[in-house]
């Protein structure tokens, strides 16, 4: 039987040459990570500032709780909005979650006490958690298979562009010669809300995922979207390559108005059909979430408590940290498409664990100062950033289209709930004790998790490089 144009929409999308249209989509959607990086860095940079009597007079434990409540919000947001993303569409949800983030960030600027601040951080997390499921789904379904690995890694690394932006904002605005701490921390969050408004205006022009439209039986709409994309790419590149009709390239269609999958079917796919993939992705997510949130949410506290760095100078030490995180996926990303997923995922996790263990040992021995610790983190997270990004890539490509957003949200919730929620509270408590050895032990725990995830990936990682999403994960229950 000859395949219809609609049936071959996945193949038509995958054969497109990279174009200005792809750049617009990647920038409009990938900025979700910039916003998350901005949020995390603002809290990390402002942690010690919020302890001051002329701001909110928080203690170290409360600073840790603001981080953990933000993470709790992202977990719940991922689960709620991830399910809705599979039901209502990628575009509706990435617009809704961005508006929720914008409103909560704006409200944060007007917090007067710990309780209101904590509530605002929780709601902000709801928006960001929903963004992860909607955005990862949409990007994977629009980006050609041959570059899916590097594009995903680089987009995830844009978190650290937001981190650098947040550090720069706090460094300038908190300067006593500019605004100072009392008003400056509020201005930082106001500027974050302004950035979200700009993103909202750009994102309106991103289309719905044709793959999602096909799954819900909306073939005419899917065909119209793909024809529009093809026309824009042809304007830049001329005649397009022929469509590959190889097995596995056709879409996994569905009936119009398909509802949410029952939890029983989701559980069957994750715990039976793709059990090994589920274990691997869960461990990867837990490891990267613990390592990042343990270190980054409490970085300002370590600098001020153990190295006597002034509050308004903390942001300076975030720049080398952010630089390593950006450069890692940027320089290593193409290897995930050429050398392959399995070897690169395992290598990055194992090297990250080894580097973190070495840094924990040096910190425990008193061999580091603030500058050398920043350099150590820059080197460790050059590799760890690629590892963490590969966790999101893996979660988004190794499960079937019908439950892709839900799978992303479930594993994001597992990893972030276990690793991300506990890590800031644990490290905040260890730092508050003033015991260098206790903090080093917290870092060592993160190293062990990274090494365990690397070993698991070496055994169970999926060779998904240059393969269509439909080939990587078929829908069979």
């Amino acid at each position: 039987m000859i395949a219809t144009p609609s049936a071959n929409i996945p193949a038509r999308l995958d054969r497109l040459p990279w174009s200005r249209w792809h750049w617009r989509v990647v920038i409009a959607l990938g900025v979700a990570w910039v916003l998350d990086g901005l949020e995390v860095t603002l809290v990390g940079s402002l942690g010690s500032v919020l302890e001051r009597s002329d701001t909110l007079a928080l203690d170290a434990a409360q600073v840790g709780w603001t981080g953990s409540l933000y993470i709790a919000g992202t977990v719940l947001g991922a689960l709620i909005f991830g399910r809705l993303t599979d039901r209502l569409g990628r575009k509706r949800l990435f617009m809704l979650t961005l508006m929720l983030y914008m409103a909560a960030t704006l409200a944060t600027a007007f917090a007067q006490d710990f309780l209101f601040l904590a509530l605002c951080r929780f709601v902000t997390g709801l928006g960001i958690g929903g963004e992860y499921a909607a955005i990862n789904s949409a990007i994977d379904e629009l980006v050609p298979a041959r570059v899916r690995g590097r594009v995903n890694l680089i987009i995830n690394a844009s978190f650290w562009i937001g981190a650098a932006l947040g550090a720069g904002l706090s460094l300038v605005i908190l300067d006593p010669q500019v605004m100072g701490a009392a008003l400056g921390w509020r201005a930082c969050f106001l500027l974050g809300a302004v950035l979200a408004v700009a993103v909202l205006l750009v994102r309106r022009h991103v289309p719905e995922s044709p793959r999602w439209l096909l799954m819900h039986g909306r073939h005419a709409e899917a065909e119209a979207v793909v024809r529009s994309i093809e026309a824009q790419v042809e304007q830049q590149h001329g005649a397009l390559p022929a469509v590959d009709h190889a097995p596995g390239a056709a879409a996994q269609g569905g009936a119009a108005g398909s509802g949410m999958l029952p939890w029983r079917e989701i559980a069957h796919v994750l715990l039976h059909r793709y059990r090994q993939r589920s274990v691997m992705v869960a461990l990867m997510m837990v490891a990267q979430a613990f390592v990042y949130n343990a270190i980054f949410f409490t970085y300002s506290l370590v600098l001020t408590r153990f190295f006597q760095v002034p509050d308004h100078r903390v942001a300076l030490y975030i720049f080398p940290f952010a630089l390593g995180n950006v450069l890692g996926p940027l320089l290593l990303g193409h290897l995930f498409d050429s050398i392959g997923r399995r070897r690169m995922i395992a290598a990055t996790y194992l090297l990250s664990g080894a580097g973190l263990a070495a840094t924990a040992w040096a910190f425990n021995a008193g061999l580091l100062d603030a500058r050398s610790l920043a350099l150590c983190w820059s080197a460790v997270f050059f590799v760890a950033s690629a590892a963490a990004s590969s966790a999101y890539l893996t979660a988004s490509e190794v499960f079937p289209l019908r439950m892709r957003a839900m799978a992303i949200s479930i594993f994001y919730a597992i990893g972030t709930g276990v690793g991300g929620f506990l890590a800031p509270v644990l490290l905040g408590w260890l730092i508050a004790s003033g015991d260098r050895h206790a903090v080093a032990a917290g870092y060592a725990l993160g190293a062990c998790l990274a090494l365990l995830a690397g070993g698991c990936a070496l055994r169970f990682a999926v060779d998904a490089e240059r393969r269509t999403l439909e080939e990587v994960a078929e829908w069979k229950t």
Side-chain angles (χ1 to χ4, degrees):
M1 183 174 66
I2 299 175
T4 66
S6 293
N8 281 294
I9 277 177
R12 290 163 66 188
L13 290 171
D14 283 338
R15 109 301 196 168
L16 293 176
W18 192 261
S19 66
R20 287 188 294 269
W21 181 85
H22 292 99
W23 278 119
R24 288 196 296 272
V25 168
V26 164
I27 292 170
L29 298 182
V31 78
W33 284 264
V34 176
L35 295 176
D36 192 17
L38 176 67
E39 287 297 315
V40 171
T41 308
L42 284 179
V43 174
S45 299
L46 298 174
S48 56
V49 171
L50 296 179
E51 293 180 306
R52 294 170 51 135
S53 60
D54 59 348
T55 58
L56 297 184
L58 306 184
D59 58 35
Q62 288 175 320
V63 172
W65 272 108
T66 61
S68 289
L69 287 170
Y70 171 80
I71 294 300
T74 64
V75 170
L76 185 60
L79 291 173
I80 293 172
F81 295 118
R83 191 150 171 79
L84 291 175
T85 297
D86 281 334
R87 174 66 183 92
L88 302 177
R90 312 322 190 197
K91 182 166 186 174
R92 286 186 187 178
L93 269 295
F94 64 60
M95 296 296 286
L96 173 62
T97 53
L98 181 59
M99 288 188 284
L100 181 62
Y101 160 85
M102 179 178 62
T105 300
L106 180 64
T108 303
F110 297 96
Q112 298 296 324
D113 54 33
F114 169 68
L115 288 178
F116 188 75
L117 176 71
L119 176 62
C120 290
R121 303 314 299 148
F122 177 77
V123 177
T124 304
L126 287 175
I128 289 294
E131 284 272 287
Y132 276 118
I135 299 304
N136 272 304
S137 302
I139 288 175
D140 268 10
E141 292 164 16
L142 292 170
V143 169
R146 66 184 180 279
V147 295
R148 191 171 61 239
R150 72 192 74 182
V151 169
N152 263 272
L153 262 72
I154 292 171
I155 287 175
N156 278 278
S158 68
F159 175 100
W160 295 101
I161 297 175
L165 179 60
L169 280 175
S170 62
L171 184 65
V172 174
I173 294 176
L174 295 178
D175 190 310
Q177 302 300 317
V178 182
M179 295 189 71
L183 293 176
W185 74 271
R186 299 182 187 277
C188 288
F189 286 109
L190 283 173
L191 290 173
V194 170
L195 175 61
V197 173
V199 175
L200 192 66
L201 296 175
V202 174
R203 196 175 277 187
R204 292 179 306 164
H205 303 291
V206 176
E208 180 57 85
S209 163
R211 284 176 158 106
W212 182 86
L213 291 169
L214 282 181
M215 182 185 72
H216 286 260
R218 295 160 62 175
H219 296 267
E221 293 176 66
E223 180 66 26
V225 170
V226 174
R227 286 187 176 179
S228 174
I229 295 170
E230 289 173 331
Q232 294 177 64
V233 176
E234 280 184 324
Q235 286 180 355
Q236 179 181 353
H237 291 285
L240 298 177
V243 178
D244 179 12
H245 295 285
Q252 300 167 7
S258 297
M260 292 184 180
L261 283 174
W263 282 105
R264 177 178 51 80
E265 288 190 49
I266 294 173
H268 178 80
V269 173
L270 297 181
L271 301 179
H272 178 68
R273 175 162 176 75
Y274 291 122
R275 183 188 306 115
Q276 292 181 344
R277 297 184 183 188
S278 296
V279 171
M280 176 192 66
V281 174
L283 187 53
M284 289 170 65
M285 283 291 197
V286 168
Q288 65 85 24
F290 186 94
V291 169
Y292 267 94
N293 291 288
I295 292 169
F296 199 61
F297 268 121
T298 58
Y299 192 28
S300 67
L301 298 179
V302 170
L303 291 172
T304 55
R305 294 290 181 90
F306 292 97
F307 301 111
Q308 292 71 54
V309 174
D311 294 340
H312 65 279
R313 306 292 289 176
V314 165
L316 283 174
Y317 295 89
I318 293 177
F319 285 113
F321 190 100
L323 181 62
N325 277 280
V326 170
L327 290 178
L330 188 64
L331 298 178
L332 300 178
H334 70 99
L335 299 177
F336 285 78
D337 288 319
S338 56
I339 292 178
R341 304 285 200 264
R342 184 188 305 273
R343 283 180 284 184
M344 286 304 301
I345 292 171
T348 51
Y349 268 93
L350 293 173
L351 288 173
S352 300
L356 182 52
T359 303
W361 174 83
F363 179 83
N364 183 67
L367 300 178
L368 303 175
D369 58 14
R371 182 178 299 177
S372 56
L373 178 63
L375 293 175
C376 283
W377 288 147
S378 181
V380 168
F381 284 92
F382 174 85
V383 180
S385 181
S389 296
S390 73
Y392 290 98
L393 166 64
T394 303
S396 67
E397 70 178 356
V398 301
F399 298 105
L401 170 67
R402 289 184 63 190
M403 53 174 287
R404 175 161 295 123
M406 195 64 229
I408 294 168
S409 64
I410 287 172
F411 290 105
Y412 175 81
I414 291 172
T416 306
V418 176
F421 181 78
L422 294 178
V425 172
L426 173 62
L427 265 291
W429 177 68
L430 294 175
I431 291 166
S433 73
D435 187 345
R436 178 184 295 268
H437 306 304
V439 177
Y443 292 158
L445 176 58
C448 291
L449 288 172
L451 292 170
L452 183 59
C456 185
L458 191 61
R459 175 76 182 275
F460 298 124
V462 179
D463 298 315
E465 58 274 9
R466 300 181 300 280
R467 296 170 63 193
T468 68
L469 293 171
E470 290 73 21
E471 288 180 281
V472 172
E474 297 178 355
W475 177 256
K476 292 180 181 179
T477 58

